[in-house]
Amino acid sequence: KADIAMYHAKGEGRNNFQFYTPQMDENADKRLLLETSLRKALDNDEFCVYYQPKVDVVTKSITAMEALLRWKHPKLGLVSPAEFIPLAEETGLIIPIGEWVLRSACRQNRAWLSQGLPRMRVAVNLSGFQFQQKNLLEMITAVLEDTGLDADLLELEITESVIMQNPDFAVSVLNSLRDIGIHISIDDFGTGYSSLAHLKRFSVNTLKIDKSFVRDVEISSADAAITTAIIAMGNSLNLKVIAEGVETEGQLSFLSENKCDEVQGFLFSTPMPAAQVAEFLQEHRRDAAE
Ligand code: C2E
Ligand code: MG
Ligand code: MG
Ligand code: MG
């Protein structure tokens, strides 16, 4: 309450005439409420990580679990990452939050191994702001050391647009991450204008086809063409290709027929709490054996 009042005093001072609508006020208020509570969310233990499997199209085995951040706000309930990640980036809070996600995910994967679950990577989304940190490699190395997770069981997802903001810089960072054995995926691929010339310089393992292309892959000839082109490009550059947002058997058939390597989406599982992963794997193995 106090913060919101202050905002009005500053933002709408006497000589500061602005056109505004009640909607603008409401948005600004919500944003400010989110911002102040985001600052406290880590200390208050309001974050948790959900996991969504990546499935090998041919063997049906689970290659990785993607860590997806969830925020349970005491008053607003579950707040979507689409809403709070941009805010965390603007405020710089993404740095401690991102490190917390990485640490949680690595610790969790180590725990799954100790419990006897099959080896799989844990995939963590990296914000562009984290990507630009000078100490990124040191931070990641320290987390791997602290949690005891092998580097080859960690995957980092970086969006194509972040990489393309500064391709030369990206090449050097990606190389240093690859050198210690970390698996790299380009997230939301197809939305960020990579040229083939750039792609061949990046030491990445996987292209992840953005879900906007997957959604209508059966009914839109353009989306089908883009999807098959990305798969062909990945194959010829010796990269794995995964499709995100796979919801239907029809989409899966299309991707399978066109030799996409892996799939991820609600068809297999929505993102789930860590405690449900062991049971999911058991059921999945039973289904795959049928
Ligand atoms: P993303 O990394 O591209 O993740 C894919 C998003 O699609 C996730 O949304 C996931 O829950 C959702 N999804 C998965 N399967 C399906 C499906 O079959 N259909 C549809 N329609 N959607 C599906 P979510 O969890 O809301 O995350 C949204 C975005 O927020 C992520 O996109 C990622 O960019 C960002 N994000 C999430 N967690 C983190 C994090 O720990 N750090 C950073 N920097 N960003 C994160
Ligand atoms: Mg991702
Ligand atoms: Mg994505
Ligand atoms: Mg996406």
mmCIF file with all atom_site columns, all heavy atoms in Angstrom, residues 149-161:
data_model
loop_
_atom_site.group_PDB
_atom_site.id
_atom_site.type_symbol
_atom_site.label_atom_id
_atom_site.label_alt_id
_atom_site.label_comp_id
_atom_site.label_asym_id
_atom_site.label_entity_id
_atom_site.label_seq_id
_atom_site.pdbx_PDB_ins_code
_atom_site.Cartn_x
_atom_site.Cartn_y
_atom_site.Cartn_z
_atom_site.occupancy
_atom_site.B_iso_or_equiv
_atom_site.pdbx_formal_charge
_atom_site.auth_seq_id
_atom_site.auth_comp_id
_atom_site.auth_asym_id
_atom_site.auth_atom_id
_atom_site.pdbx_PDB_model_num
ATOM 1   N N   . LEU A 1 149 ? 26.990 -32.287 -9.477  1.00 0.00 ? 149 LEU A N   1
ATOM 2   C CA  . LEU A 1 149 ? 26.422 -32.779 -10.747 1.00 0.00 ? 149 LEU A CA  1
ATOM 3   C C   . LEU A 1 149 ? 27.478 -32.714 -11.856 1.00 0.00 ? 149 LEU A C   1
ATOM 4   O O   . LEU A 1 149 ? 28.202 -31.724 -11.972 1.00 0.00 ? 149 LEU A O   1
ATOM 5   C CB  . LEU A 1 149 ? 25.201 -31.931 -11.144 1.00 0.00 ? 149 LEU A CB  1
ATOM 6   C CG  . LEU A 1 149 ? 24.423 -32.467 -12.353 1.00 0.00 ? 149 LEU A CG  1
ATOM 7   C CD1 . LEU A 1 149 ? 23.614 -33.718 -11.972 1.00 0.00 ? 149 LEU A CD1 1
ATOM 8   C CD2 . LEU A 1 149 ? 23.487 -31.404 -12.926 1.00 0.00 ? 149 LEU A CD2 1
ATOM 9   N N   . ASP A 1 150 ? 27.569 -33.782 -12.662 1.00 0.00 ? 150 ASP A N   1
ATOM 10  C CA  . ASP A 1 150 ? 28.483 -33.764 -13.806 1.00 0.00 ? 150 ASP A CA  1
ATOM 11  C C   . ASP A 1 150 ? 28.006 -32.731 -14.827 1.00 0.00 ? 150 ASP A C   1
ATOM 12  O O   . ASP A 1 150 ? 26.809 -32.614 -15.083 1.00 0.00 ? 150 ASP A O   1
ATOM 13  C CB  . ASP A 1 150 ? 28.496 -35.138 -14.510 1.00 0.00 ? 150 ASP A CB  1
ATOM 14  C CG  . ASP A 1 150 ? 29.143 -36.203 -13.643 1.00 0.00 ? 150 ASP A CG  1
ATOM 15  O OD1 . ASP A 1 150 ? 29.846 -35.843 -12.685 1.00 0.00 ? 150 ASP A OD1 1
ATOM 16  O OD2 . ASP A 1 150 ? 28.921 -37.393 -13.940 1.00 0.00 ? 150 ASP A OD2 1
ATOM 17  N N   . ALA A 1 151 ? 28.962 -32.033 -15.444 1.00 0.00 ? 151 ALA A N   1
ATOM 18  C CA  . ALA A 1 151 ? 28.608 -30.992 -16.415 1.00 0.00 ? 151 ALA A CA  1
ATOM 19  C C   . ALA A 1 151 ? 27.786 -31.549 -17.576 1.00 0.00 ? 151 ALA A C   1
ATOM 20  O O   . ALA A 1 151 ? 26.912 -30.870 -18.118 1.00 0.00 ? 151 ALA A O   1
ATOM 21  C CB  . ALA A 1 151 ? 29.874 -30.317 -16.946 1.00 0.00 ? 151 ALA A CB  1
ATOM 22  N N   . ASP A 1 152 ? 28.024 -32.813 -17.959 1.00 0.00 ? 152 ASP A N   1
ATOM 23  C CA  . ASP A 1 152 ? 27.282 -33.351 -19.107 1.00 0.00 ? 152 ASP A CA  1
ATOM 24  C C   . ASP A 1 152 ? 25.848 -33.741 -18.738 1.00 0.00 ? 152 ASP A C   1
ATOM 25  O O   . ASP A 1 152 ? 25.088 -34.189 -19.590 1.00 0.00 ? 152 ASP A O   1
ATOM 26  C CB  . ASP A 1 152 ? 28.038 -34.518 -19.764 1.00 0.00 ? 152 ASP A CB  1
ATOM 27  C CG  . ASP A 1 152 ? 28.127 -35.735 -18.865 1.00 0.00 ? 152 ASP A CG  1
ATOM 28  O OD1 . ASP A 1 152 ? 27.933 -35.579 -17.636 1.00 0.00 ? 152 ASP A OD1 1
ATOM 29  O OD2 . ASP A 1 152 ? 28.384 -36.827 -19.373 1.00 0.00 ? 152 ASP A OD2 1
ATOM 30  N N   . LEU A 1 153 ? 25.478 -33.554 -17.470 1.00 0.00 ? 153 LEU A N   1
ATOM 31  C CA  . LEU A 1 153 ? 24.070 -33.749 -17.106 1.00 0.00 ? 153 LEU A CA  1
ATOM 32  C C   . LEU A 1 153 ? 23.359 -32.403 -16.957 1.00 0.00 ? 153 LEU A C   1
ATOM 33  O O   . LEU A 1 153 ? 22.230 -32.332 -16.488 1.00 0.00 ? 153 LEU A O   1
ATOM 34  C CB  . LEU A 1 153 ? 23.945 -34.574 -15.832 1.00 0.00 ? 153 LEU A CB  1
ATOM 35  C CG  . LEU A 1 153 ? 24.362 -36.043 -15.993 1.00 0.00 ? 153 LEU A CG  1
ATOM 36  C CD1 . LEU A 1 153 ? 24.174 -36.812 -14.691 1.00 0.00 ? 153 LEU A CD1 1
ATOM 37  C CD2 . LEU A 1 153 ? 23.571 -36.710 -17.124 1.00 0.00 ? 153 LEU A CD2 1
ATOM 38  N N   . LEU A 1 154 ? 24.054 -31.338 -17.359 1.00 0.00 ? 154 LEU A N   1
ATOM 39  C CA  . LEU A 1 154 ? 23.426 -30.010 -17.369 1.00 0.00 ? 154 LEU A CA  1
ATOM 40  C C   . LEU A 1 154 ? 23.298 -29.529 -18.800 1.00 0.00 ? 154 LEU A C   1
ATOM 41  O O   . LEU A 1 154 ? 24.218 -29.657 -19.614 1.00 0.00 ? 154 LEU A O   1
ATOM 42  C CB  . LEU A 1 154 ? 24.261 -28.994 -16.571 1.00 0.00 ? 154 LEU A CB  1
ATOM 43  C CG  . LEU A 1 154 ? 23.762 -27.543 -16.633 1.00 0.00 ? 154 LEU A CG  1
ATOM 44  C CD1 . LEU A 1 154 ? 22.372 -27.396 -16.016 1.00 0.00 ? 154 LEU A CD1 1
ATOM 45  C CD2 . LEU A 1 154 ? 24.743 -26.591 -15.941 1.00 0.00 ? 154 LEU A CD2 1
ATOM 46  N N   . GLU A 1 155 ? 22.115 -28.995 -19.100 1.00 0.00 ? 155 GLU A N   1
ATOM 47  C CA  . GLU A 1 155 ? 21.853 -28.388 -20.406 1.00 0.00 ? 155 GLU A CA  1
ATOM 48  C C   . GLU A 1 155 ? 21.407 -26.961 -20.150 1.00 0.00 ? 155 GLU A C   1
ATOM 49  O O   . GLU A 1 155 ? 20.692 -26.702 -19.191 1.00 0.00 ? 155 GLU A O   1
ATOM 50  C CB  . GLU A 1 155 ? 20.748 -29.211 -21.096 1.00 0.00 ? 155 GLU A CB  1
ATOM 51  C CG  . GLU A 1 155 ? 20.172 -28.620 -22.358 1.00 0.00 ? 155 GLU A CG  1
ATOM 52  C CD  . GLU A 1 155 ? 19.140 -29.559 -23.013 1.00 0.00 ? 155 GLU A CD  1
ATOM 53  O OE1 . GLU A 1 155 ? 19.106 -30.780 -22.694 1.00 0.00 ? 155 GLU A OE1 1
ATOM 54  O OE2 . GLU A 1 155 ? 18.360 -29.068 -23.834 1.00 0.00 ? 155 GLU A OE2 1
ATOM 55  N N   . LEU A 1 156 ? 21.857 -26.032 -20.982 1.00 0.00 ? 156 LEU A N   1
ATOM 56  C CA  . LEU A 1 156 ? 21.396 -24.651 -20.860 1.00 0.00 ? 156 LEU A CA  1
ATOM 57  C C   . LEU A 1 156 ? 20.612 -24.289 -22.110 1.00 0.00 ? 156 LEU A C   1
ATOM 58  O O   . LEU A 1 156 ? 21.041 -24.585 -23.226 1.00 0.00 ? 156 LEU A O   1
ATOM 59  C CB  . LEU A 1 156 ? 22.584 -23.710 -20.670 1.00 0.00 ? 156 LEU A CB  1
ATOM 60  C CG  . LEU A 1 156 ? 23.372 -23.907 -19.370 1.00 0.00 ? 156 LEU A CG  1
ATOM 61  C CD1 . LEU A 1 156 ? 24.642 -23.051 -19.370 1.00 0.00 ? 156 LEU A CD1 1
ATOM 62  C CD2 . LEU A 1 156 ? 22.510 -23.576 -18.145 1.00 0.00 ? 156 LEU A CD2 1
ATOM 63  N N   . GLU A 1 157 ? 19.456 -23.674 -21.927 1.00 0.00 ? 157 GLU A N   1
ATOM 64  C CA  . GLU A 1 157 ? 18.638 -23.213 -23.052 1.00 0.00 ? 157 GLU A CA  1
ATOM 65  C C   . GLU A 1 157 ? 18.787 -21.702 -23.163 1.00 0.00 ? 157 GLU A C   1
ATOM 66  O O   . GLU A 1 157 ? 18.506 -20.973 -22.213 1.00 0.00 ? 157 GLU A O   1
ATOM 67  C CB  . GLU A 1 157 ? 17.164 -23.586 -22.837 1.00 0.00 ? 157 GLU A CB  1
ATOM 68  C CG  . GLU A 1 157 ? 16.919 -25.074 -22.787 1.00 0.00 ? 157 GLU A CG  1
ATOM 69  C CD  . GLU A 1 157 ? 15.440 -25.443 -22.918 1.00 0.00 ? 157 GLU A CD  1
ATOM 70  O OE1 . GLU A 1 157 ? 14.602 -24.548 -23.141 1.00 0.00 ? 157 GLU A OE1 1
ATOM 71  O OE2 . GLU A 1 157 ? 15.146 -26.647 -22.792 1.00 0.00 ? 157 GLU A OE2 1
ATOM 72  N N   . ILE A 1 158 ? 19.232 -21.254 -24.329 1.00 0.00 ? 158 ILE A N   1
ATOM 73  C CA  . ILE A 1 158 ? 19.416 -19.831 -24.574 1.00 0.00 ? 158 ILE A CA  1
ATOM 74  C C   . ILE A 1 158 ? 18.620 -19.486 -25.824 1.00 0.00 ? 158 ILE A C   1
ATOM 75  O O   . ILE A 1 158 ? 18.701 -20.217 -26.820 1.00 0.00 ? 158 ILE A O   1
ATOM 76  C CB  . ILE A 1 158 ? 20.912 -19.513 -24.769 1.00 0.00 ? 158 ILE A CB  1
ATOM 77  C CG1 . ILE A 1 158 ? 21.674 -19.912 -23.499 1.00 0.00 ? 158 ILE A CG1 1
ATOM 78  C CG2 . ILE A 1 158 ? 21.145 -18.039 -25.059 1.00 0.00 ? 158 ILE A CG2 1
ATOM 79  C CD1 . ILE A 1 158 ? 23.041 -20.433 -23.735 1.00 0.00 ? 158 ILE A CD1 1
ATOM 80  N N   . THR A 1 159 ? 17.851 -18.408 -25.775 1.00 0.00 ? 159 THR A N   1
ATOM 81  C CA  . THR A 1 159 ? 17.003 -18.139 -26.934 1.00 0.00 ? 159 THR A CA  1
ATOM 82  C C   . THR A 1 159 ? 17.832 -17.628 -28.106 1.00 0.00 ? 159 THR A C   1
ATOM 83  O O   . THR A 1 159 ? 18.889 -17.013 -27.935 1.00 0.00 ? 159 THR A O   1
ATOM 84  C CB  . THR A 1 159 ? 15.884 -17.114 -26.648 1.00 0.00 ? 159 THR A CB  1
ATOM 85  O OG1 . THR A 1 159 ? 16.490 -15.865 -26.349 1.00 0.00 ? 159 THR A OG1 1
ATOM 86  C CG2 . THR A 1 159 ? 14.992 -17.562 -25.509 1.00 0.00 ? 159 THR A CG2 1
ATOM 87  N N   . GLU A 1 160 ? 17.292 -17.906 -29.282 1.00 0.00 ? 160 GLU A N   1
ATOM 88  C CA  . GLU A 1 160 ? 17.960 -17.482 -30.500 1.00 0.00 ? 160 GLU A CA  1
ATOM 89  C C   . GLU A 1 160 ? 18.132 -15.962 -30.519 1.00 0.00 ? 160 GLU A C   1
ATOM 90  O O   . GLU A 1 160 ? 19.172 -15.453 -30.933 1.00 0.00 ? 160 GLU A O   1
ATOM 91  C CB  . GLU A 1 160 ? 17.140 -17.952 -31.712 1.00 0.00 ? 160 GLU A CB  1
ATOM 92  C CG  . GLU A 1 160 ? 17.825 -17.723 -33.029 1.00 0.00 ? 160 GLU A CG  1
ATOM 93  C CD  . GLU A 1 160 ? 16.918 -18.067 -34.204 1.00 0.00 ? 160 GLU A CD  1
ATOM 94  O OE1 . GLU A 1 160 ? 15.683 -18.104 -34.027 1.00 0.00 ? 160 GLU A OE1 1
ATOM 95  O OE2 . GLU A 1 160 ? 17.447 -18.264 -35.302 1.00 0.00 ? 160 GLU A OE2 1
ATOM 96  N N   . SER A 1 161 ? 17.127 -15.221 -30.040 1.00 0.00 ? 161 SER A N   1
ATOM 97  C CA  . SER A 1 161 ? 17.233 -13.755 -30.111 1.00 0.00 ? 161 SER A CA  1
ATOM 98  C C   . SER A 1 161 ? 18.337 -13.234 -29.194 1.00 0.00 ? 161 SER A C   1
ATOM 99  O O   . SER A 1 161 ? 19.011 -12.254 -29.540 1.00 0.00 ? 161 SER A O   1
ATOM 100 C CB  . SER A 1 161 ? 15.892 -13.091 -29.823 1.00 0.00 ? 161 SER A CB  1
ATOM 101 O OG  . SER A 1 161 ? 15.318 -13.609 -28.667 1.00 0.00 ? 161 SER A OG  1
#
